[in-house]
Amino acid sequence: MAKAEIVWRPEVVGISVVLVNAPADFVATTLAGKVLTRRVAGERLASNRRHLHIEDAGGSHHVWLIEASSGASLAALVPLDDTASLRIAGLRRFHRLIDGQKSGRMPSAWQLTPRLRRRLVLMIRALDALPAKASYRDMALVFYGPAAVSRDPWKTSSLRGQTIRLVKDAISIRDGGYRQLLKGGTGTGRG
């Protein structure tokens, strides 16, 4: 089993599956062996917690075992927060995986659409341009090309407004808004 440092926080990442020892009356839950013997791509031990990153063709699984005894029956813990439905979707995928079925695609809230991926790339590029004191116009020229920028007067151009929003959203993501992405929201504005 490969050991790797895991850099996600299960309490923040909405797709995480949290497993604990099942109550004593639930002796029929025998999935612990399947969970612990499944191919683990990364693992981190921290006091009474075991963080597992399990690779899967449909998208990886992040599992947090809290005080789980080896060989014990396990139960899922789903905090009733704003990520509860996403956590349940992640739990369903994980349950299918350990039940020997295809886990299926990641929930749509956790997938990056091509448009969002492009926007995130532009946001990173904008953050790279800020220390160089690049103007919004300079950024727009690089992001969208000279032909698009010269199409309309810059002061009233829709690309100017789009570039300003892009930079503001990039700063927001940098300053903590990325947590919304981890929870399964876009957190990147309208675009």
Side-chain angles (χ1 to χ4, degrees), residues 9-190:
R9 291 179 42 200
E11 69 275 17
V12 174
V13 178
I15 199 81
S16 299
V17 174
V18 181
L19 300 175
V20 296
N21 286 334
D25 296 341
F26 288 82
V27 293
T29 59
T30 58
L31 297 176
K34 290 181 181 180
V35 171
L36 302 178
T37 59
R38 183 57 67 179
R39 184 172 166 274
V40 176
E43 178 176 353
R44 184 172 143 233
L45 300 173
S47 63
N48 61 348
R49 297 173 181 170
R50 186 173 176 191
H51 303 254
L52 305 175
H53 178 180
I54 301 172
E55 288 295 334
D56 181 49
S60 61
H61 300 265
H62 299 281
V63 180
W64 195 19
L65 295 158
I66 302 175
E67 297 181 357
S69 307
S70 182
S73 295
L74 295 178
L77 175 67
V78 180
L80 298 176
D81 58 13
D82 59 346
T83 64
S85 60
L86 187 59
R87 289 182 191 278
I88 290 169
L91 178 60
R92 284 186 181 131
R93 286 186 68 248
F94 182 69
H95 186 262
R96 286 192 297 268
L97 177 74
I98 61 176
D99 206 28
Q101 303 171 29
K102 289 185 179 182
S103 62
R105 294 176 32 163
M106 296 288 274
S108 60
W110 193 247
Q111 296 175 19
L112 291 180
T113 63
R115 181 181 178 280
L116 179 56
R117 182 173 285 120
R118 175 166 163 64
R119 183 164 171 73
L120 288 170
V121 167
L122 289 177
M123 290 167 69
I124 291 168
R125 292 176 72 192
L127 289 174
D128 285 344
L130 288 176
K133 307 269 189 238
S135 69
Y136 292 131
R137 190 173 196 287
D138 292 338
M139 288 184 219
L141 285 166
V142 172
F143 298 162
Y144 310 112
V149 172
S150 64
R151 201 171 294 135
D152 296 312
W154 179 246
K155 289 287 184 183
T156 58
S157 169
S158 63
L159 282 181
R160 180 177 180 266
Q162 188 173 331
T163 304
I164 291 169
R165 282 191 308 276
L166 184 82
V167 171
K168 286 181 180 178
D169 289 346
I171 292 168
S172 173
I173 289 287
R174 179 198 65 196
D175 294 346
Y178 64 89
R179 288 186 179 99
Q180 191 61 36
L181 284 171
L182 294 174
K183 287 181 178 182
T186 61
T188 62
R190 310 180 285 255

